[in-house]
mmCIF file of all heavy atoms in Angstrom:
data_model
loop_
_atom_site.group_PDB
_atom_site.id
_atom_site.type_symbol
_atom_site.label_atom_id
_atom_site.label_comp_id
_atom_site.label_asym_id
_atom_site.label_seq_id
_atom_site.Cartn_x
_atom_site.Cartn_y
_atom_site.Cartn_z
ATOM 1 N N LEU A 1663 -12.834 -8.948 -1.219
ATOM 2 C CA LEU A 1663 -12.441 -10.476 -0.750
ATOM 3 C C LEU A 1663 -13.520 -11.314 -1.232
ATOM 4 O O LEU A 1663 -13.346 -12.356 -1.805
ATOM 5 C CB LEU A 1663 -12.096 -10.597 0.554
ATOM 6 C CG LEU A 1663 -11.497 -11.850 1.048
ATOM 7 C CD1 LEU A 1663 -10.177 -12.001 0.397
ATOM 8 C CD2 LEU A 1663 -11.349 -11.905 2.522
ATOM 9 N N THR A 1664 -14.752 -10.943 -0.864
ATOM 10 C CA THR A 1664 -16.020 -11.743 -1.217
ATOM 11 C C THR A 1664 -16.200 -11.927 -2.714
ATOM 12 O O THR A 1664 -16.461 -13.038 -3.209
ATOM 13 C CB THR A 1664 -17.170 -11.124 -0.459
ATOM 14 O OG1 THR A 1664 -17.011 -10.921 0.981
ATOM 15 C CG2 THR A 1664 -18.437 -11.932 -0.744
ATOM 16 N N ALA A 1665 -15.935 -10.776 -3.480
ATOM 17 C CA ALA A 1665 -16.223 -10.829 -4.853
ATOM 18 C C ALA A 1665 -15.169 -11.715 -5.637
ATOM 19 O O ALA A 1665 -15.381 -12.159 -6.785
ATOM 20 C CB ALA A 1665 -16.152 -9.499 -5.468
ATOM 21 N N ASN A 1666 -14.083 -12.019 -4.977
ATOM 22 C CA ASN A 1666 -12.927 -12.757 -5.634
ATOM 23 C C ASN A 1666 -12.643 -14.099 -4.949
ATOM 24 O O ASN A 1666 -11.594 -14.605 -5.113
ATOM 25 C CB ASN A 1666 -11.641 -11.982 -5.617
ATOM 26 C CG ASN A 1666 -11.806 -10.738 -6.546
ATOM 27 O OD1 ASN A 1666 -11.625 -10.776 -7.765
ATOM 28 N ND2 ASN A 1666 -12.085 -9.594 -5.982
ATOM 29 N N ILE A 1667 -13.651 -14.600 -4.272
ATOM 30 C CA ILE A 1667 -13.563 -16.047 -3.614
ATOM 31 C C ILE A 1667 -13.216 -17.062 -4.724
ATOM 32 O O ILE A 1667 -13.959 -17.046 -5.704
ATOM 33 C CB ILE A 1667 -14.771 -16.318 -2.768
ATOM 34 C CG1 ILE A 1667 -14.728 -15.436 -1.538
ATOM 35 C CG2 ILE A 1667 -14.612 -17.754 -2.325
ATOM 36 C CD1 ILE A 1667 -15.999 -15.606 -0.690
ATOM 37 N N GLY A 1668 -12.285 -17.830 -4.481
ATOM 38 C CA GLY A 1668 -11.992 -18.896 -5.454
ATOM 39 C C GLY A 1668 -10.907 -18.642 -6.433
ATOM 40 O O GLY A 1668 -10.540 -19.528 -7.185
ATOM 41 N N ARG A 1669 -10.575 -17.460 -6.571
ATOM 42 C CA ARG A 1669 -9.559 -17.027 -7.549
ATOM 43 C C ARG A 1669 -8.184 -17.068 -6.946
ATOM 44 O O ARG A 1669 -7.952 -16.461 -5.847
ATOM 45 C CB ARG A 1669 -9.822 -15.561 -8.053
ATOM 46 C CG ARG A 1669 -11.174 -15.410 -8.709
ATOM 47 C CD ARG A 1669 -11.384 -13.957 -9.258
ATOM 48 N NE ARG A 1669 -10.440 -13.636 -10.210
ATOM 49 C CZ ARG A 1669 -10.465 -12.424 -10.620
ATOM 50 N NH1 ARG A 1669 -11.140 -11.441 -10.112
ATOM 51 N NH2 ARG A 1669 -9.490 -12.030 -11.567
ATOM 52 N N GLY A 1670 -7.244 -17.746 -7.580
ATOM 53 C CA GLY A 1670 -5.860 -17.845 -6.988
ATOM 54 C C GLY A 1670 -5.086 -16.593 -7.355
ATOM 55 O O GLY A 1670 -5.368 -15.759 -8.253
ATOM 56 N N ILE A 1671 -3.936 -16.483 -6.663
ATOM 57 C CA ILE A 1671 -3.054 -15.352 -6.925
ATOM 58 C C ILE A 1671 -2.040 -15.682 -7.907
ATOM 59 O O ILE A 1671 -1.312 -16.766 -7.951
ATOM 60 C CB ILE A 1671 -2.247 -15.041 -5.639
ATOM 61 C CG1 ILE A 1671 -3.145 -14.648 -4.477
ATOM 62 C CG2 ILE A 1671 -1.183 -13.972 -5.861
ATOM 63 C CD1 ILE A 1671 -2.514 -14.333 -3.152
ATOM 64 N N LYS A 1672 -2.069 -14.958 -9.048
ATOM 65 C CA LYS A 1672 -1.083 -15.237 -10.179
ATOM 66 C C LYS A 1672 0.268 -14.760 -9.951
ATOM 67 O O LYS A 1672 1.205 -15.524 -10.100
ATOM 68 C CB LYS A 1672 -1.633 -14.521 -11.402
ATOM 69 C CG LYS A 1672 -0.774 -14.685 -12.674
ATOM 70 C CD LYS A 1672 -1.351 -14.106 -13.820
ATOM 71 C CE LYS A 1672 -0.521 -14.377 -15.128
ATOM 72 N NZ LYS A 1672 -1.116 -13.683 -16.371
ATOM 73 N N GLN A 1673 0.448 -13.562 -9.308
ATOM 74 C CA GLN A 1673 1.648 -13.136 -8.866
ATOM 75 C C GLN A 1673 1.474 -11.940 -7.939
ATOM 76 O O GLN A 1673 0.428 -11.320 -7.850
ATOM 77 C CB GLN A 1673 2.493 -12.629 -10.088
ATOM 78 C CG GLN A 1673 1.921 -11.487 -10.868
ATOM 79 C CD GLN A 1673 2.815 -11.043 -11.993
ATOM 80 O OE1 GLN A 1673 3.724 -11.736 -12.384
ATOM 81 N NE2 GLN A 1673 2.508 -9.952 -12.685
ATOM 82 N N ALA A 1674 2.480 -11.678 -7.092
ATOM 83 C CA ALA A 1674 2.410 -10.449 -6.101
ATOM 84 C C ALA A 1674 3.722 -9.837 -6.077
ATOM 85 O O ALA A 1674 4.883 -10.621 -6.110
ATOM 86 C CB ALA A 1674 1.856 -10.939 -4.790
ATOM 87 N N SER A 1675 3.930 -8.649 -5.825
ATOM 88 C CA SER A 1675 5.174 -7.872 -5.835
ATOM 89 C C SER A 1675 4.933 -6.796 -4.778
ATOM 90 O O SER A 1675 3.836 -6.280 -4.580
ATOM 91 C CB SER A 1675 5.681 -7.459 -7.109
ATOM 92 O OG SER A 1675 4.618 -6.484 -7.736
ATOM 93 N N ALA A 1676 5.981 -6.250 -4.347
ATOM 94 C CA ALA A 1676 6.009 -5.161 -3.390
ATOM 95 C C ALA A 1676 7.228 -4.245 -3.398
ATOM 96 O O ALA A 1676 8.168 -4.627 -4.232
ATOM 97 C CB ALA A 1676 6.062 -5.683 -1.936
ATOM 98 N N THR A 1677 7.049 -2.941 -2.980
ATOM 99 C CA THR A 1677 8.112 -2.094 -3.053
ATOM 100 C C THR A 1677 7.859 -0.996 -2.079
ATOM 101 O O THR A 1677 6.901 -1.010 -1.422
ATOM 102 C CB THR A 1677 8.111 -1.375 -4.474
ATOM 103 O OG1 THR A 1677 9.274 -0.576 -4.623
ATOM 104 C CG2 THR A 1677 6.939 -0.533 -4.683
ATOM 105 N N LEU A 1678 8.858 -0.035 -1.985
ATOM 106 C CA LEU A 1678 8.742 1.102 -1.002
ATOM 107 C C LEU A 1678 7.505 2.100 -1.556
ATOM 108 O O LEU A 1678 7.386 2.161 -2.658
ATOM 109 C CB LEU A 1678 10.023 1.841 -0.880
ATOM 110 C CG LEU A 1678 11.163 1.151 -0.029
ATOM 111 C CD1 LEU A 1678 12.331 1.918 -0.288
ATOM 112 C CD2 LEU A 1678 10.860 1.102 1.314
ATOM 113 N N ALA A 1679 6.831 2.603 -0.572
ATOM 114 C CA ALA A 1679 5.853 3.584 -0.833
ATOM 115 C C ALA A 1679 6.471 4.855 -1.463
ATOM 116 O O ALA A 1679 5.816 5.507 -2.241
ATOM 117 C CB ALA A 1679 4.936 3.897 0.295
ATOM 118 N N THR A 1680 7.629 5.158 -1.119
ATOM 119 C CA THR A 1680 8.375 6.386 -1.633
ATOM 120 C C THR A 1680 9.048 6.270 -2.884
ATOM 121 O O THR A 1680 9.474 7.222 -3.427
ATOM 122 C CB THR A 1680 9.283 6.885 -0.394
ATOM 123 O OG1 THR A 1680 10.184 5.899 -0.173
ATOM 124 C CG2 THR A 1680 8.449 7.298 0.824
ATOM 125 N N ASN A 1681 9.284 5.007 -3.336
ATOM 126 C CA ASN A 1681 10.034 4.807 -4.541
ATOM 127 C C ASN A 1681 9.469 3.448 -5.226
ATOM 128 O O ASN A 1681 9.621 2.417 -4.874
ATOM 129 C CB ASN A 1681 11.457 4.644 -4.219
ATOM 130 C CG ASN A 1681 12.280 4.375 -5.476
ATOM 131 O OD1 ASN A 1681 11.829 4.668 -6.648
ATOM 132 N ND2 ASN A 1681 13.558 4.112 -5.288
ATOM 133 N N ARG A 1682 8.635 3.738 -6.276
ATOM 134 C CA ARG A 1682 7.999 2.589 -6.899
ATOM 135 C C ARG A 1682 8.656 2.171 -8.322
ATOM 136 O O ARG A 1682 8.189 1.734 -9.212
ATOM 137 C CB ARG A 1682 6.529 2.975 -7.230
ATOM 138 C CG ARG A 1682 5.758 3.277 -5.954
ATOM 139 C CD ARG A 1682 4.289 3.474 -6.137
ATOM 140 N NE ARG A 1682 3.593 3.882 -4.949
ATOM 141 C CZ ARG A 1682 2.274 3.968 -4.815
ATOM 142 N NH1 ARG A 1682 1.526 3.520 -5.862
ATOM 143 N NH2 ARG A 1682 1.751 4.265 -3.674
ATOM 144 N N SER A 1683 9.833 2.505 -8.411
ATOM 145 C CA SER A 1683 10.647 2.266 -9.708
ATOM 146 C C SER A 1683 10.963 0.855 -9.860
ATOM 147 O O SER A 1683 11.188 0.246 -10.868
ATOM 148 C CB SER A 1683 12.003 3.127 -9.790
ATOM 149 O OG SER A 1683 12.706 2.902 -8.590
ATOM 150 N N GLN A 1684 11.161 0.182 -8.657
ATOM 151 C CA GLN A 1684 11.663 -1.278 -8.631
ATOM 152 C C GLN A 1684 10.724 -2.113 -7.812
ATOM 153 O O GLN A 1684 10.451 -1.801 -6.666
ATOM 154 C CB GLN A 1684 13.072 -1.466 -8.191
ATOM 155 C CG GLN A 1684 13.520 -2.822 -8.214
ATOM 156 C CD GLN A 1684 13.795 -3.460 -9.576
ATOM 157 O OE1 GLN A 1684 14.190 -2.709 -10.497
ATOM 158 N NE2 GLN A 1684 13.298 -4.695 -9.711
ATOM 159 N N TRP A 1685 10.069 -3.193 -8.444
ATOM 160 C CA TRP A 1685 9.195 -4.075 -7.624
ATOM 161 C C TRP A 1685 10.007 -5.434 -7.474
ATOM 162 O O TRP A 1685 10.627 -5.909 -8.231
ATOM 163 C CB TRP A 1685 7.911 -4.298 -8.465
ATOM 164 C CG TRP A 1685 7.119 -3.035 -8.603
ATOM 165 C CD1 TRP A 1685 7.217 -2.045 -9.406
ATOM 166 C CD2 TRP A 1685 6.031 -2.629 -7.748
ATOM 167 N NE1 TRP A 1685 6.290 -1.099 -9.226
ATOM 168 C CE2 TRP A 1685 5.474 -1.477 -8.284
ATOM 169 C CE3 TRP A 1685 5.286 -3.271 -6.730
ATOM 170 C CZ2 TRP A 1685 4.420 -0.810 -7.647
ATOM 171 C CZ3 TRP A 1685 4.227 -2.634 -6.089
ATOM 172 C CH2 TRP A 1685 3.755 -1.444 -6.550
ATOM 173 N N TYR A 1686 9.521 -5.978 -6.222
ATOM 174 C CA TYR A 1686 10.177 -7.243 -5.771
ATOM 175 C C TYR A 1686 9.051 -8.394 -5.503
ATOM 176 O O TYR A 1686 8.202 -7.941 -4.848
ATOM 177 C CB TYR A 1686 11.061 -7.098 -4.534
ATOM 178 C CG TYR A 1686 12.082 -5.960 -4.729
ATOM 179 C CD1 TYR A 1686 11.838 -4.691 -4.461
ATOM 180 C CD2 TYR A 1686 13.364 -6.361 -5.195
ATOM 181 C CE1 TYR A 1686 12.902 -3.792 -4.539
ATOM 182 C CE2 TYR A 1686 14.364 -5.407 -5.384
ATOM 183 C CZ TYR A 1686 14.167 -4.106 -5.060
ATOM 184 O OH TYR A 1686 15.082 -3.200 -5.190
ATOM 185 N N PRO A 1687 9.312 -9.596 -6.117
ATOM 186 C CA PRO A 1687 8.283 -10.668 -5.885
ATOM 187 C C PRO A 1687 8.194 -10.990 -4.387
ATOM 188 O O PRO A 1687 9.162 -11.088 -3.533
ATOM 189 C CB PRO A 1687 8.966 -11.769 -6.568
ATOM 190 C CG PRO A 1687 10.300 -11.544 -6.772
ATOM 191 C CD PRO A 1687 10.554 -10.026 -6.817
#
Side-chain angles (χ1 to χ4, degrees):
L1663 190 66
T1664 303
N1666 293 277
I1667 291 177
R1669 300 177 66 188
I1671 298 176
K1672 182 176 182 179
Q1673 63 180 9
S1675 55
T1677 188
L1678 286 171
T1680 56
N1681 183 11
R1682 304 189 184 187
S1683 59
Q1684 181 66 42
W1685 293 81
Y1686 301 89

